[in-house]
Structures are given as structure tokens and as C-alpha cells.
Amino acid sequence: MSSRNIRKLISVGLLIILAIIFAASTESFFNSRNIILLLRESSYVGLIALGMAFVIIGGGIDLSAGGIVCLSAVVCSRLAATNDVPAIFVVLAGVLTGMACGAINALINNKLHLTEFVATLASGFVYTGLALIVAYRENGRLVTQAVKNKGFLLLGDKIFGIHVMTLTWIVLMIIVMIILYKTKFGLHTYAQGSNAKSAQYSGVNNAMIKASGFIICGFFSGLAATFTLAYQGAVSLATGTGMEFQAIAACVVGGVVLGGGHGDALGAFIGALFLTLIMNGLYKYGIPTAYQYILQGGIILLATAFDVQFNRFTERRLSAVTTSTSAST
């Protein structure tokens, strides 16, 4: 069995153990209402994590995802304030806003040659500021405007008892898995994340791969914003705050290694479930919010430290096998 599959099995095993512990120690953890809520909350982070996985696997980072979510949600809310605009155009506006923000990130990184950390941190603030400008005002004051577009609100409903957002997340996770493992673009993304210079010498267009990663991350951030607005029925300017860090955390917990070259969509999917399950379970224990964040941070640190040690172990084992094979021949 490959080290990649072993890493995923470990994550799944921990997820199952935690679920059993919470189910045994709380009364309402395993009821259908809580499971559906858990999946819906996971899909919000999980959609962004799918896009973030592309960037991280390619060796980058995107700290603007939260700002993209905020701006995309505000744009959608302005268009969905009445029934005048068809729902499909509202959805497209949110997704295209996210992709446009991703394209700007790509342009800044590729043309100005700034580090992803600095460039996307700055652009995230810009997108949040633009959301404040675009937001609905009444007599010069910011006002929360309810969504009235009935067709758009259907995106927040359920199909066969499961939220549309959750079903979309699962389908897109499978599609992303296929793209990463079965297409040239996916293989080039892994190659760039593993060793950008070697990939370039092998004919990989690093600038194109990096730009595509940012645009894909923008797409998923815009999509997450669209579904969240449809579910909540209104947008807050706090929407998206800190979501980039939660998405990165979901990737890391799921085995997507910071630095690039390792991980996949299933890992990001499992990581999002894992983090949401922890917060859900801790909430049922009545643990104060401050301690929930402390525990979440500790878990991310442990997951990162585990990945470092696990990768070192697999590298040593591979080296030992290679040495043994060479000696025998």
C-alpha cells in the first residue's frame, strides 16, 4: 500500500474514532438533523478547501479566499434582492466574481513576481474593501438586505433530505480527484509543487499552472459564497472572515502538505469533515468558544507535525529499500 493511501486511512480512522467518542458521550450527535447540519457546515469550508488544494499542491498559498467569499456574496446579494434577475445569472455573477479575483491574484504573482503570501494577503484586504463599497446602503448606512429571488433561494434547499450545497461538494470532490490524477494539468500541478525548476525543465508551464490554481480557488470560493447566501437568505460583511485559514487547515489535516507536491481532493474533503466534526462535538460539550479555537489550533499543529514525521519516515523507508535493491544487484 502506498504512503499516500496509508495517510488517508489514518485520517479516516481518526475521523471514525472521534465520531464514535462524540456519539457515545452526547445525546444528539448521531441524529439525522445533526448529521445533515454537520455535512452542510463541512461543505462550506470543504468547497473552499477543494480550490485551496490546487494552490497548495502546486506549491503556493492563497490568503485572499475569505475576501473573495465576502465580495462574491455581496455581489450576489445585490442581484438577488429582487426577482428581476434570473437565478442562473445571480449564480454566474458570484462564481465569475470569484474567478476574476483569482485571475487578479495570478496576475499580481506572475507579473509583479511577489510571493503568494504577501500578494494574496494584500488582495484579500482589497476584496473585503470592495465588498464594503458594493454593499447595499440606505441613507448612507450599511444595511443587511434579504434575498428575495425565489429561484436563487432554491439553492439553499435540500434534495432527498441533503442540502444541495453538500451534494455539489461531493460531486465536485470526485471531479477534482479525476482532474488531479487523470489529466496532464493535474500531473503538472504535482510536478510544479514537488520541484518547480525540474518541472519547468520538463516542459511544464509554471506560470500557467500557478495562474490556473488561483482561478480555480477563486471559482470554489465564489461558489461557496453563492450557496451560503442562498441558505442564509442574507449576507453579512463578516461572511468569509477567516475562511481561508479554515480551508488551509482542512487541507493540512487531510494530508495536503504545505510546500506542495503531496495531497489530493479526498484529503481536503476528509480534513473539512474532521475539523467541522470537532467543532460540532466540542459545542455539544458546552466548551467555551475561546477553548474551541485553542483546541482547533492545537489539532492543526499536531496534524502538521505528524505529516512532517510521516513524510520523513516514508522517505527513510524508500531510501532503505532503494539501497537494499542496489546492493542486491
Side-chain angles (χ1 to χ4, degrees):
M1 184 181 292
S2 68
S3 60
R4 182 177 63 197
N5 291 331
I6 292 171
R7 177 63 180 84
K8 276 201 281 284
L9 284 174
I10 292 171
S11 295
V12 172
L14 289 173
L15 187 69
I16 294 171
I17 290 169
L18 272 176
I20 292 171
I21 291 172
F22 288 142
S25 55
T26 62
E27 294 181 357
S28 58
F29 182 80
F30 254 149
N31 64 40
S32 59
R33 182 176 179 277
N34 188 59
I35 296 298
I36 291 171
L37 176 64
L38 178 65
L39 289 170
R40 199 208 72 80
E41 292 299 317
S42 298
S43 58
Y44 179 30
V45 179
L47 278 172
I48 304 171
L50 288 179
M52 191 66 71
F54 271 101
V55 179
I56 296 176
I57 291 170
I61 197 75
D62 188 350
L63 299 182
S64 70
I68 295 174
V69 169
C70 185
L71 178 58
S72 299
V74 170
V75 169
C76 282
S77 71
R78 293 303 303 264
L79 294 175
T82 66
N83 278 310
D84 296 338
V85 180
I88 185 63
F89 290 131
V90 179
V91 175
L92 285 173
V95 172
L96 290 175
T97 297
M99 293 178 72
C101 292
I104 292 170
N105 287 341
L107 185 65
I108 293 171
N109 280 275
N110 287 337
K111 297 301 181 182
L112 300 182
H113 304 291
L114 300 176
T115 62
E116 292 94 343
F117 185 95
V118 173
T120 58
L121 178 65
S123 64
F125 283 116
V126 172
Y127 301 146
T128 303
L130 288 174
L132 286 168
I133 294 172
V134 176
Y136 183 75
R137 280 177 167 78
E138 199 171 84
N139 298 322
R141 300 176 62 182
L142 290 171
V143 178
T144 300
Q145 191 176 31
V147 173
K148 298 176 182 177
N149 190 310
K150 295 179 180 178
F152 179 73
L153 288 172
L154 290 175
L155 288 177
D157 287 345
K158 301 174 184 176
I159 297 177
F160 305 117
I162 302 175
H163 287 98
V164 175
M165 185 178 187
T166 301
L167 294 172
T168 304
W169 177 41
I170 294 170
V171 171
L172 287 175
M173 183 272 293
I174 296 170
I175 292 173
V176 171
M177 286 284 287
I178 294 170
I179 291 172
L180 284 173
Y181 284 150
K182 301 296 183 181
T183 67
K184 181 190 286 188
F185 172 73
L187 294 175
H188 284 183
T189 300
Y190 279 107
Q192 178 179 272
S194 298
N195 192 316
K197 286 188 177 180
S198 296
Q200 189 172 16
Y201 292 147
S202 300
V204 175
N205 187 336
N206 286 350
M208 187 276 289
I209 295 295
K210 184 180 290 187
S212 299
F214 282 122
I215 294 170
I216 290 169
C217 191
F219 165 81
F220 279 104
S221 298
L223 191 64
T226 302
F227 275 114
T228 301
L229 176 65
Y231 175 76
Q232 294 179 346
V235 65
S236 163
L237 291 176
T239 299
T241 302
M243 290 309 301
E244 63 273 20
F245 297 110
Q246 292 188 42
I248 293 169
C251 289
V252 171
V253 169
V256 181
V257 178
L258 292 175
H262 299 278
D264 55 33
L266 181 58
F269 182 90
I270 294 169
L273 275 175
F274 190 89
L275 289 178
T276 309
L277 184 143
I278 288 171
M279 297 303 286
N280 183 282
L282 294 177
Y283 175 79
K284 293 187 180 303
Y285 284 142
I287 296 175
T289 304
Y291 293 105
Q292 291 181 29
Y293 281 113
I294 291 171
L295 286 169
Q296 190 176 32
I299 289 165
I300 294 167
L301 284 173
L302 288 172
T304 306
F306 172 79
D307 269 334
V308 170
Q309 296 303 319
F310 183 78
N311 288 330
R312 285 179 179 173
F313 170 76
T314 53
E315 285 173 6
R316 285 198 300 267
R317 189 178 67 171
L318 180 61
S319 178
V321 170
T322 304
T323 303
S324 176
T325 304
S326 299
S328 63
T329 55

